[in-house]
Amino acid sequence: MTTILAALAVTLLPGGAAVAAAVDASPATASTAAEQAPAPVPIEEWSLARITAMGREIYRHDTAAWLATDALLAVHSPESLPGLRGWIVVPAGDGLKVRFLREGPSGYKIGWDVVVTGDRAGPVVEPADGSLTPAETAQWQARQTAIANIGTLRCSASLNAVVVADPDSDNWLVWLLTATTDANIIPVGGHYRFRISADGLSVVRRDQLSVGCLNMPLTSPEHPDSPVGLTVTQLVSSGPVETHVFLSLQNRIPIYVMAGEKVFAVDGDCIRDISCDFH
C-alpha cells in the first residue's frame, strides 16, 4: 500500500490571516512514492446542501458515540463488558440513542443503551429485551459490509464508523473515518463513503473521499499558535465533501477547500464559495 504524503506550509488568505495549508499530493506533483499511486477517481457529486446536512449528521452521530462510550466506561470497566463488538446510533426523540452490541451464543444483542441529547449523555441502561429490530440488524450489517469492503487506502490503524439512513433512498450511508488519538492532528484524508443496500448486505457504491492520507497538525514547533484555518486541495470532487464539514464542526476551525478553479470556505455547517476573493 502506498501512502501519499502531504506537503505542509503556511500561506496567507485575503486579509492576511495565517492558515496551515496542506497539499493533497497528486501523481503529477508528489514524490516518487506518490507518483506510483493511481490517478484520482471522481466521486459521486452531491449538492452543497446535502454535503452540509450529511456532515452535520456525521458530527452528531460521532459526538453521541464518544459521549455514550465515556458514560459506559464510567460505569463499567472494559474487562466487565464481555462480547462488546461496537454500536449503532438510532433516533431517540430530540436526541440519539447509542446501542452497544455484544455477541453471544445466539448472535448479536443490545447490551447497553445510552441516550445522548445535545452534549449530554444520559444513564447507562441495560434493556430487558436486547433483541435488535429488523432495521437495527440491517444497520449493523451495513456497517460490517462496509468494513469488509474498504479500499486500499488505510491512513490509520483504526477507523470510526458512522451509519445513517439515506434520506433520499431506502439504502444506508456508511462512513469509515480515519481515526486519531492525537488532539493536535486533524485527519483530513483517508475517509470513505459507502452506499449500502437496505438489507445491509450489498455495496451499492463506494467513494474514496481523498486521493491520499492527509494528517494536518494544528500546531508545530515552528508555528506554536493554532492557525485560524486549514487549507486543503480536493482532487476527487469539484468542491468540499461532508467530511470537511464534520472536521470543521469537530475541531471548531474553518477549512478552506481548493477544488479546480474554485475555493470554498467550510466554517462549521456553513459552506461559502469565496473564489472571487482570490481574483
Side-chain angles (χ1 to χ4, degrees):
M1 176 183 66
T2 300
T3 299
I4 301 179
L5 302 179
L8 200 57
V10 172
T11 188
L12 293 177
L13 287 177
V19 300
V23 179
D24 191 359
S26 69
T29 60
S31 64
T32 301
E35 288 171 358
Q36 298 171 358
V41 176
I43 65 171
E44 181 181 66
E45 294 277 0
W46 284 358
S47 69
L48 292 183
R50 181 175 172 87
I51 289 167
T52 299
M54 292 298 96
R56 188 166 50 232
E57 198 68 3
I58 295 171
Y59 175 70
R60 289 183 66 236
H61 280 240
D62 183 75
T63 300
W66 68 257
L67 286 172
T69 300
D70 285 349
L72 182 67
L73 294 178
V75 176
H76 299 284
S77 67
E79 295 76 20
S80 65
L81 298 171
L84 178 62
R85 292 293 179 265
W87 60 81
I88 57 174
V89 181
V90 300
D94 293 333
L96 294 169
K97 181 187 291 185
V98 182
R99 314 207 76 184
F100 292 93
L101 276 69
R102 59 183 177 188
E103 188 174 12
S106 58
Y108 290 104
K109 296 282 188 179
I110 303 297
W112 306 270
D113 282 334
V114 179
V115 173
V116 176
T117 305
D119 60 356
R120 183 175 179 180
V124 177
V125 176
E126 296 187 28
D129 180 5
S131 300
L132 282 77
T133 66
E136 289 170 344
T137 298
Q139 184 176 359
W140 173 255
Q141 186 59 56
R143 174 188 185 272
Q144 302 303 90
T145 298
I147 291 172
N149 288 278
I150 189 172
T152 57
L153 182 65
R154 313 289 179 88
C155 297
S156 64
S158 60
L159 296 168
N160 294 327
V162 172
V163 186
V164 303
D166 184 352
D168 297 326
S169 73
D170 60 357
N171 296 322
W172 297 98
L173 293 174
V174 182
W175 289 271
L176 299 182
L177 306 171
T178 301
T180 180
T181 58
D182 187 343
N184 190 51
I185 293 294
I186 299 180
V188 181
H191 309 302
Y192 286 88
R193 175 210 295 162
F194 289 81
R195 182 176 285 109
I196 304 294
S197 60
D199 60 7
L201 298 176
S202 303
V203 176
V204 177
R205 184 181 177 100
R206 180 186 69 193
D207 284 316
Q208 182 178 303
L209 299 182
S210 67
V211 173
C213 301
L214 187 59
N215 291 325
M216 299 191 67
L218 286 172
T219 62
S220 66
E222 296 80 11
H223 305 284
D225 296 329
S226 296
V228 298
L230 305 177
T231 300
V232 302
T233 59
Q234 180 69 0
L235 300 177
V236 298
S237 63
S238 60
V241 292
E242 61 273 20
T243 49
H244 294 133
V245 175
F246 159 62
L247 291 170
S248 180
L249 287 167
Q250 183 186 59
N251 295 279
R252 294 176 171 82
I253 190 170
I255 298 177
Y256 300 91
V257 180
M258 303 174 67
E261 299 298 319
K262 291 191 174 183
V263 181
F264 298 86
V266 180
D267 193 355
D269 57 1
C270 177
I271 301 176
R272 293 178 293 115
D273 184 342
I274 59 170
S275 305
C276 291
D277 296 343
F278 286 77
H279 297 296

